[in-house]
Amino acid sequence: MIQSIDSILAATVATEGGYVNNPNDKGGETNFGVTVAVARANGFAGDMKTMTKAQALEIYRSIYFIKPGWGFVMSVSVGIATECYDTGVNMGPKVAAVFLQRTLNVLNRQGKDYADIKVDGAVGPATTNALRALIAKRGHDGESVVLKALNCLQGARYIELAEGRQANEDFCYGWLSNRVELPRA
């Protein structure tokens, strides 16, 4: 299992590969999986082909791991933090956070194990405490069930994206084979 933020980020860069400019990709040019829009918004002004791995890693660290709060989740479950981060890289951090919050709300047994949390896409103490309560109640099995649910939501969203935009069919097989995984907890 991946144990550190650095190894999580390195795995992303390895999965994403190098420079790509696929005309069917709404994100446009990417390098190491970082879109040109995200690169520009984070201070990179050069040709996307010249973005270094170190620059991409810094964007992943700050925008996709630290800012969304996956470090807090990592203090409870490395596997769930890694899964949410990876989903956030591909779908946006807010989508990943909403997936986690929805999952936690439906696994609390109608509030018997812990209170519902606001589904707002912002990971903070409420989300982290709900996850902590679920794992305290359910243990390793609870962690595995959360990972299964997150992957179910992720896979369903990929299919919806491909159904809603035919050009996304070019990417759906890769999304499902490379992004939706069996639980790692």
Side-chain angles (χ1 to χ4, degrees), residues 78-156:
V78 172
I80 291 170
T82 301
E83 178 62 34
C84 289
Y85 157 78
D86 183 66
T87 299
V89 164
N90 199 245
M91 295 184 176
K94 187 171 183 173
V95 171
V98 166
F99 285 174
L100 178 59
Q101 291 166 335
R102 288 176 59 203
T103 297
L104 291 169
N105 281 346
V106 300
L107 295 178
N108 70 357
R109 297 184 324 121
Q110 300 173 25
K112 294 177 189 135
D113 295 338
Y114 51 89
D116 276 345
I117 56 175
K118 186 175 182 180
V119 178
D120 59 4
V123 174
T127 302
T128 305
N129 288 336
L131 177 60
R132 187 174 285 111
L134 180 128
I135 292 173
K137 177 75 175 175
R138 301 287 185 170
H140 179 74
D141 288 342
E143 199 171 1
S144 292
V145 168
V146 169
L147 286 166
K148 285 179 187 178
L150 292 171
N151 276 289
C152 289
L153 291 166
Q154 183 182 20

Side-chain angles (χ1 to χ4, degrees), residues 4-5 8-9 28 61 65 76 117 138 152:
S4 72
I5 293 174
I8 292 168
L9 302 176
R61 178 183 305 281
F65 199 91
V76 180
I117 56 175
R138 301 287 185 170
C152 289

Side-chain angles (χ1 to χ4, degrees), residues 14 32-33 42 44 52 55 57 60 62 73 77 84 86 92 118 120-121 127 130 156 164 173 180:
F32 302 109
N42 289 280
F44 181 79
T52 66
Q55 289 167 317
L57 287 168
Y60 282 125
S62 63
V73 173
S77 169
C84 289
D86 183 66
K118 186 175 182 180
D120 59 4
T127 302
Y173 187 89
V180 180

Side-chain angles (χ1 to χ4, degrees), residues 63-79:
I63 301 303
Y64 294 97
F65 199 91
I66 303 300
K67 186 176 179 183
W70 303 130
F72 300 115
V73 173
M74 192 171 183
S75 71
V76 180
S77 169
V78 172

Side-chain angles (χ1 to χ4, degrees), residues 7-53:
S7 60
I8 292 168
L9 302 176
T12 299
V13 169
T15 298
E16 293 292 345
Y19 177 80
V20 177
N21 190 10
N22 185 321
N24 286 331
D25 188 345
K26 287 175 77 172
E29 286 184 282
T30 64
N31 202 350
F32 302 109
V34 177
T35 66
V36 65
V38 168
R40 300 289 182 253
N42 289 280
F44 181 79
D47 184 324
M48 284 301 290
K49 291 177 185 174
T50 67
M51 175 181 270
T52 66
K53 189 180 291 188

